[in-house]
Amino acid sequence: MIRIGLVGKIGSGKTFVGKLFKFPIFNADEEVKKIYKENKQCFKKLNKKFPKFIKSFPVSKSEIKQILNKKNIKIISKITHPYVRLKLKKFLNKNINKKYVVLDIPLLIENKLYKKTDILIYVNTSKKLIYKRLKKRGSYNKNILKILESHQLKKDKKIKLCNFIIENSLNKNNILKQIKKIKKELND
């Protein structure tokens, strides 16, 4: 199995690009949402650390946003990441016989979840377009964005680790052409 890891800034379009590959995809953000919604152990650990904010199960995104700062994001990550890693392991085992899988994990490199044999693709998007997308999503908060970005490697460092770059400031057809070219290279 060849693992294709998508990396890039928050709001760069990793999930959109990942779906266009048409391979099995592991979306860490979606898995975190499920963990908050379904995992009582995770809730109990979060509630123990943040009893004034994380009060009831399932954990809501608004509760998490209330406590998000540089210190707390590390605590939240320390609690949730083992559950995400377990889900990733199950996903990889389930898809062991697939030729390719896509890993849509925002901190793939930073959390050392990639292997040297992975194909890493940087999804590049202009800052202006990122802000436009985040505002459209309704999840744009300048302070939270800065906190989340502070945990990401700088763009130039990520690009150095990547095998390919996909420009996601263009239209869907252009992105599909870039993906087709990458798939061709992978199969050669």
Side-chain angles (χ1 to χ4, degrees):
M1 169 195 339
I2 296 172
R3 299 167 20 143
I4 299 171
L6 299 178
V7 298
K9 289 184 157 273
I10 296 160
S12 62
K14 295 179 295 294
T15 301
F16 174 74
V17 170
K19 288 176 183 175
L20 295 177
F21 271 91
K22 304 275 191 233
F23 297 141
I25 186 167
F26 180 83
N27 182 314
D29 287 343
E30 288 301 316
E31 294 303 327
V32 169
K33 285 178 193 172
K34 288 179 195 173
I35 290 165
Y36 288 157
K37 190 177 177 182
E38 301 165 3
N39 190 314
K40 283 195 177 181
Q41 283 182 311
C42 182
F43 160 72
K44 287 176 185 174
K45 289 177 183 179
L46 288 167
N47 174 259
K48 189 175 179 180
K49 287 286 182 185
F50 309 104
K52 292 180 182 175
F53 299 96
I54 309 294
K55 297 176 183 175
S56 61
F57 182 78
V59 178
S60 74
K61 210 173 182 178
S62 62
E63 289 173 318
I64 296 294
K65 282 183 180 180
Q66 286 180 45
I67 57 173
L68 215 54
N69 60 40
K70 284 187 179 190
K71 180 184 159 206
N72 289 347
I73 196 169
K74 289 180 182 176
I75 296 167
I76 295 165
S77 295
K78 196 173 181 178
I79 292 169
T80 57
H81 284 180
Y83 298 109
V84 175
R85 287 174 192 263
L86 185 63
K87 286 185 171 266
L88 173 61
K89 188 176 179 181
K90 286 179 182 178
F91 168 83
L92 294 172
N93 286 336
K94 179 184 170 191
N95 292 288
I96 195 118
N97 294 321
K98 302 289 184 189
K99 188 169 181 178
Y100 298 102
V101 295
V102 174
L103 305 178
D104 177 3
I105 304 173
L107 299 173
L108 180 74
I109 294 172
E110 295 83 349
N111 287 330
K112 297 172 179 56
L113 292 170
Y114 74 102
K115 296 180 177 184
K116 293 199 185 303
T117 55
D118 288 353
I119 302 299
L120 296 180
I121 300 172
Y122 189 85
V123 179
N124 193 39
T125 310
S126 70
K127 269 189 176 182
K128 186 179 175 183
L129 192 53
I130 286 173
Y131 294 140
K132 184 179 174 184
R133 287 177 183 160
L134 292 175
K135 285 177 182 175
K136 197 174 181 181
R137 261 192 222 167
S139 61
Y140 179 76
N141 176 313
K142 201 172 190 175
N143 294 329
I144 290 175
L145 187 61
K146 281 183 182 180
I147 292 164
L148 296 173
E149 284 179 337
S150 73
H151 290 274
Q152 291 189 320
L153 277 177
K154 298 289 180 220
K155 178 180 175 176
D156 58 331
K157 289 185 180 184
K158 279 190 181 184
I159 287 175
K160 283 181 185 176
L161 295 169
C162 289
N163 307 84
F164 301 97
I165 297 173
I166 287 182
E167 288 297 331
N168 189 19
S169 298
L170 307 164
N171 62 42
K172 183 178 174 181
N173 285 337
N174 187 282
I175 296 163
L176 287 168
K177 285 177 191 172
Q178 293 174 75
I179 289 171
K180 187 176 179 179
K181 186 177 175 184
I182 291 169
K183 283 181 173 181
K184 187 180 182 320
E185 275 192 54
L186 294 176
N187 288 316
D188 283 349

